Amino acid sequence: MDTKTTFGLLRRPLQDLCDAFNQKKFFPLLEADVAAYLYCRLRENGCPLSEIYSETRLCGVSRGERKFDLVIGQANTILGCVQPVLVVQIKAFQRWGHSPQQHRRRFKSVLSEDIESLKQISSILQDGRAEVIADFVFTSQSSGYLSGKWNGRIRRDILAELCREANIALFWIRPDRQGQMEMERVV
């Protein structure tokens, strides 16, 4: 499989996640729930079992380095890593049970860990890197955590700029003004 095909495979599960949430069939409490859902939907939508991995190492990245949330590619069973065609990092901002401080910490980790990790693997994968923000925050003041400000700038704009500079695709799953989830490819 190539990167363009895998991006096509990813879009459908992202839309399915929105639909399942809107139909009150899926209520992810943790980021792992989002990752598990996407893994299952990728499989159901045609991604071969032999090419999808979760929390795995990439070939060409030091063993002590970060594991990535979802990876589509070919396994190297000798080295215990995956030669990727698509690498997805997921960050979830839940509307239940998280304080504003926890949301700020999560956003900081997107900036300092997720984006940086995806930038670092550009030498082994130029085009197939994606950040997925599952943003369930919905209050009277906010439709999505990324719609708020960080140091005077809109969080979404900050992430879009960083992703654009690093050639990283950015998908934002967020509530519309009525609280229904929708998916947008920002970059």
Side-chain angles (χ1 to χ4, degrees), residues 4 7 18 35 60 66-68 73 105 112-113 115 169 183:
K4 184 177 180 180
F7 267 118
C18 294
R66 180 180 186 130
K67 294 178 183 172
F68 292 85
R105 259 194 313 273
S112 64
E113 296 172 19
I115 301 299
M183 188 265 300

Side-chain angles (χ1 to χ4, degrees), residues 102-119:
Q102 289 169 309
H103 284 147
R104 280 194 293 278
R105 259 194 313 273
R106 295 192 75 63
F107 186 71
K108 279 183 182 179
S109 77
V110 172
L111 300 175
S112 64
E113 296 172 19
D114 288 15
I115 301 299
E116 287 306 311
S117 294
L118 290 168
K119 281 169 58 173

Side-chain angles (χ1 to χ4, degrees), residues 63-133:
R63 280 186 130 354
E65 294 294 319
R66 180 180 186 130
K67 294 178 183 172
F68 292 85
D69 294 334
L70 287 175
V71 178
I72 298 174
Q74 295 292 317
N76 181 325
T77 55
I78 295 168
L79 297 176
C81 58
V82 177
Q83 186 62 50
V85 293
L86 179 68
V87 175
V88 179
Q89 284 299 106
I90 301 164
K91 194 61 74 198
F93 293 89
Q94 293 83 354
R95 65 174 79 174
W96 318 274
H98 284 83
S99 68
Q101 296 88 336
Q102 289 169 309
H103 284 147
R104 280 194 293 278
R105 259 194 313 273
R106 295 192 75 63
F107 186 71
K108 279 183 182 179
S109 77
V110 172
L111 300 175
S112 64
E113 296 172 19
D114 288 15
I115 301 299
E116 287 306 311
S117 294
L118 290 168
K119 281 169 58 173
Q120 290 171 5
I121 63 167
S122 66
S123 61
I124 60 170
L125 185 62
Q126 179 62 39
D127 295 323
R129 297 168 293 138
E131 177 73 23
V132 171
I133 304 293

